Amino acid sequence: RLHRLLAFIDPWKDPQGIGFHIIQSLIAVGSGGLLGLGLGASRQKFFYLPEQFTDFIFAILCEELGFIGGGMVAILFAILLIRGLQVAARTADHFASLLVIGITIWLTLQAAVNIMVVLGLLPTTGIPLPFISFGGTALILELFAIGIMLNISMGIKRGTEKL
């Protein structure tokens, strides 16, 4: 934990050691520019950025799709937050409302933390980016949670709120 904190404070102090992840992540994000290098054209994924398909997938996404692609992913998570809170506000069932708020906060906070780690705004945590990072169990749980939210949302439209 101390090494992660030291890498966050000054990654350039040990660029081949504790600061390697964050430096390579920033290089990937910066080399993408506005429009990116193109899908599959990332150079950082070739053994420069460790764990590029899990914790640092947003860096590769920004390198390939640029600022616009990274911004679109952030906007999609913001839309998820807004729509989730709207569903929670319209639900008459108190438990369903709290469940939707919990799922919404879980997914958007996890995405925000992952994006901030990739951009060097938080120390490295090991939290994957929801729906995008590699990992079967996490994806199944995230899709299951979205299914619960959709079920509650459909109950609002039909006039019945069943879980």
Side-chain angles (χ1 to χ4, degrees), residues 39-59:
L39 283 175
S42 170
R43 290 169 283 205
Q44 291 301 109
K45 66 183 173 189
F46 296 116
F47 306 111
Y48 292 107
L49 184 60
E51 303 301 322
Q52 74 276 6
F53 50 86
T54 57
D55 302 345
F56 286 90
I57 191 71
F58 188 73

Side-chain angles (χ1 to χ4, degrees), residues 1 7 16 36 40 57 67 80 84 91 110 112 135 140:
R1 286 183 232 164
Q16 294 297 317
I57 191 71
F67 177 76
L80 175 67
T91 303
Q110 183 173 338
I140 289 171

